[in-house]
Amino acid sequence: MEVTPFKLANKTCLSLSPNFILPEEKRPVLSEVFSLASIPIIDLNDHDIDDDGQGSSSLVSKISQACEEYGFFQIINHGVPKELCQRVLAVVTEFFQLPPEERAQFLTTDHTKQVRVLNYFLKVEGQGKVDMWGESFRHPWHPIEDFTHLLPKNPPQYREVFVEYAREIGVLMDRLLSLISQGLGLEKDCLKRKIGERPTLYSQTNYYPPCPDPELTMGLPAHSDIFALTVLLQLEGVAGLQVIKDGKWVPVDAVPDAFVVNLGDQIQVLSNGRYKSVVHRAVTNKWLPRVSVAMFYAPNNDTEIGPIEDLIEEGHPAMYRNYSYKEFMEEVDRQVGIRRRIPVTGQQWAKVDSSNGRQVSNSQTMVQSPARDKGRGKQRMATETTELQQIGT
């Protein structure tokens, strides 16, 4: 039976036409994905904690090791009801199955809009842009404050389900930030205080329809998250997320009843390079649509970000200069549609090769990652580079 092609909100049908086919050097090369490895899975029911609630519990140690080595980990026994997660995935799927003209009300070219449908693409030299195989929907969330007026009225359950989900994720975010702080040897509330009392919170739901030839397309190209922390819910049984580990792409399995947690650029800076903000991507598959729900936690524009003083010491000087999050985002916006480039050392610029996620300089020499560059004492403004771009047309 012939499958009806998915139609984006901008009324473009997904098809293996030239505007969706990546040039050969940008293709995912799925045969080279290291399928025998994956990111750590951590049980949050591990309660082996010292009497004072801090110290080097096995749970804190596992999370700290995952943050240092991977920048990603999965969590089980996290306390968010399974039934609620299933309802969230169901209502998100319903949203993307609405007629394109109904989703189109959220299309905009104004990146300051809080609620919008996104269609991502790569700018490719000599070819213009190549559209990604999927669609995303972004809106704010908050664990306490009312944000229902910002949510779509259709599907009818969307508002109720997302408000309930936001309350649960708010509790989970607080716990994760506490555990990550303890892993750095800091007070439980340190990272939350440094990120700020009024964090920027928003969700991005993603829909990746089946693709006739996944070797030719990409759901999202290689990038790192510009935020502080991301909690991702994946549709069970449908893989697609991959992360870089030791220069190789590693799949992130869709583990039942689990969340994927990944660190963003801001925690890499706050940790003075000890914890990683790691390059990742989303690939497509032939058989099933993939749905994911990312909940982002970021500073607000007025928050100053820089290495935490307790993590600056002899032999490990500050690797990044302090900056406001507004300044950081303005730099990101200036580089939309191109490889984001930020000064590294001297006059060099760092960029990420989307084919393997590695940082290289303009001269194609390797630039050491912050975690390995402790002796240089060079301060820098940090962000991973990316060729990720969003449009509203």
Side-chain angles (χ1 to χ4, degrees), residues 160-306:
E160 176 188 350
V161 170
F162 237 93
V163 167
E164 185 178 351
Y165 187 63
R167 285 197 296 266
E168 296 286 347
I169 294 299
V171 173
L172 181 60
M173 284 281 191
D174 283 351
R175 187 178 182 197
L176 288 168
L177 287 169
S178 173
L179 290 165
I180 293 167
S181 289
Q182 292 177 68
L184 289 166
L186 304 169
E187 295 293 326
K188 286 182 177 183
D189 64 346
C190 183
L191 279 177
K192 187 172 181 179
R193 284 189 288 104
K194 293 294 184 181
I195 294 168
E197 294 182 359
R198 301 284 299 175
T200 300
L201 307 173
Y202 62 88
S203 168
Q204 180 169 303
T205 61
N206 307 295
Y207 187 78
Y208 308 104
C211 175
D213 192 345
E215 291 282 359
L216 301 179
T217 62
M218 196 83 80
L220 283 178
H223 67 285
S224 70
D225 286 357
I226 58 179
F227 321 107
L229 191 64
T230 303
V231 173
L232 180 80
L233 175 64
Q234 300 191 92
L235 184 65
E236 189 175 318
V238 186
L241 178 61
Q242 298 176 349
V243 305
I244 279 287
K245 179 71 169 76
D246 299 328
K248 296 180 180 180
W249 288 108
V250 172
V252 177
D253 300 327
V255 175
D257 306 327
F259 285 111
V260 178
V261 179
N262 71 281
L263 308 185
D265 295 345
Q266 309 314 312
I267 285 186
Q268 177 169 311
V269 173
L270 288 165
S271 71
N272 201 22
R274 179 173 162 186
Y275 287 172
K276 296 180 180 180
S277 174
V278 172
V279 173
H280 51 286
R281 68 184 185 181
V283 298
T284 60
N285 76 88
K286 274 187 179 183
W287 313 112
L288 295 168
R290 178 173 174 260
V291 179
S292 66
V293 181
M295 304 291 272
F296 299 124
Y297 191 106
N300 66 44
N301 280 344
D302 297 328
T303 302
E304 184 176 277
I305 298 294

Side-chain angles (χ1 to χ4, degrees), residues 37 67 91 100 111 125 135 138 140 178 180 185-186 207 225 236 252 311 316 319 332 343 350 368 371 380 390:
C67 292
V91 79
H111 293 176
E125 189 174 350
E135 186 167 274
R138 181 177 291 186
S178 173
I180 293 167
L186 304 169
Y207 187 78
D225 286 357
E236 189 175 318
V252 177
L311 303 178
H316 195 179
M319 295 180 176
V332 170
Q368 290 180 296
R380 63 193 82 172
Q390 57 205 32

Side-chain angles (χ1 to χ4, degrees), residues 88 101 128 151 306:
V88 169
E101 53 269 20
L151 301 179

Side-chain angles (χ1 to χ4, degrees), residues 9-200:
N10 63 16
K11 299 186 179 179
T12 300
C13 281
L14 289 184
S15 66
L16 289 180
S17 56
N19 55 313
F20 286 101
I21 297 177
L22 292 163
E24 191 170 351
E25 69 275 10
K26 301 293 182 185
R27 294 174 188 173
V29 195
L30 300 177
S31 60
E32 295 183 1
V33 174
F34 190 48
S35 59
L36 297 180
S38 192
I39 64 174
I41 301 172
I42 299 174
D43 186 346
L44 290 192
N45 265 351
D46 183 346
H47 293 305
D48 180 17
I49 300 180
D50 293 350
D51 291 340
D52 62 359
Q54 306 213 19
S56 55
S57 73
S58 61
L59 177 57
V60 169
S61 296
K62 288 173 185 175
I63 287 179
S64 181
Q65 184 176 4
C67 292
E68 287 188 8
E69 295 184 9
Y70 289 86
F72 268 80
F73 53 95
Q74 299 207 58
I75 52 173
I76 57 174
N77 293 318
H78 41 67
V80 181
K82 177 179 181 178
E83 174 268 341
L84 176 58
C85 293
Q86 291 173 333
R87 285 163 56 208
V88 169
L89 290 168
V91 79
V92 166
T93 302
E94 284 183 55
F95 174 83
F96 286 108
Q97 290 174 344
L98 292 172
E101 53 269 20
E102 188 160 353
R103 305 196 311 275
Q105 67 183 297
F106 302 109
L107 281 174
T108 177
T109 56
D110 183 355
H111 293 176
T112 67
K113 291 288 186 182
Q114 289 186 291
V115 183
R116 52 199 171 110
V117 164
L118 308 173
N119 302 120
Y120 289 99
F121 66 82
L122 279 178
K123 277 192 174 181
V124 178
E125 189 174 350
Q127 186 175 336
K129 69 183 182 72
V130 178
D131 295 315
M132 296 295 99
W133 195 272
E135 186 167 274
S136 300
F137 180 49
R138 181 177 291 186
H139 59 70
W141 69 275
H142 200 281
I144 301 172
E145 296 178 5
D146 182 17
F147 64 99
T148 52
H149 62 287
L150 298 170
L151 301 179
K153 296 179 180 179
N154 200 17
Q157 306 84 8
Y158 196 101
R159 292 183 168 188
E160 176 188 350
V161 170
F162 237 93
V163 167
E164 185 178 351
Y165 187 63
R167 285 197 296 266
E168 296 286 347
I169 294 299
V171 173
L172 181 60
M173 284 281 191
D174 283 351
R175 187 178 182 197
L176 288 168
L177 287 169
S178 173
L179 290 165
I180 293 167
S181 289
Q182 292 177 68
L184 289 166
L186 304 169
E187 295 293 326
K188 286 182 177 183
D189 64 346
C190 183
L191 279 177
K192 187 172 181 179
R193 284 189 288 104
K194 293 294 184 181
I195 294 168
E197 294 182 359
R198 301 284 299 175
T200 300

